[in-house]
Amino acid sequence: MSLLRQASVAARAVSRSAAFSTSSVARKDIVQDLYIRELKGYKAPPAAKDAHVGVVKAYALPPAPKAPALPTDLASELAAYDAAEPTKADAPKVAATGTENVGQGAEAFLEFLEADLPKAEVHH
């Protein structure tokens, strides 16, 4: 029995000692320490007072817009516009592509779609 008592007393003594400490020893990272020390010691060079010259453009307000002038004889200009007729010379010209019925209405387009296409000869 005395052997069991001595074992339990020894176990208690060991458990109370720092041999089984739950806190881990923090390892130091030398590279990280050097990096942080250099960051803390960095001094930015002072900017010159005229550093912005040539980089920033001077702001100038645009000129104020002028109100449009109304024509003096509005009735005659409207009459001239109404009298003018559009000419076919102003319309863009479309090159012929072999589709004669295109642009002649929906019926002509439907007839074009229903027409049989010429069959190409098969060469072997």
Side-chain angles (χ1 to χ4, degrees), residues 12-28:
R12 285 185 203 146
V14 168
S15 67
R16 291 180 189 153
S17 70
F20 293 111
S21 175
T22 58
S23 64
S24 63
V25 177
R27 291 186 174 175
K28 291 204 170 224

Side-chain angles (χ1 to χ4, degrees), residues 94-118:
V94 179
T97 59
T99 55
E100 299 84 21
N101 296 336
V102 174
Q104 296 180 2
E107 291 297 324
F109 181 69
L110 290 174
E111 288 176 10
F112 170 73
L113 291 177
E114 292 174 354
D116 291 330
L117 295 175

Side-chain angles (χ1 to χ4, degrees), residues 19-80:
F20 293 111
S21 175
T22 58
S23 64
S24 63
V25 177
R27 291 186 174 175
K28 291 204 170 224
D29 189 1
I30 297 172
V31 175
Q32 182 180 3
D33 291 341
L34 286 172
Y35 183 73
I36 291 174
R37 187 178 71 211
E38 290 298 320
L39 280 178
K40 288 180 180 178
Y42 177 74
K43 302 285 185 200
K49 290 184 179 182
D50 59 350
H52 67 281
V53 175
V55 178
V56 180
K57 293 183 179 180
Y59 180 73
L61 288 173
K66 296 178 182 176
L70 291 175
T72 55
D73 193 12
L74 186 62
S76 65
E77 287 190 24
L78 286 175

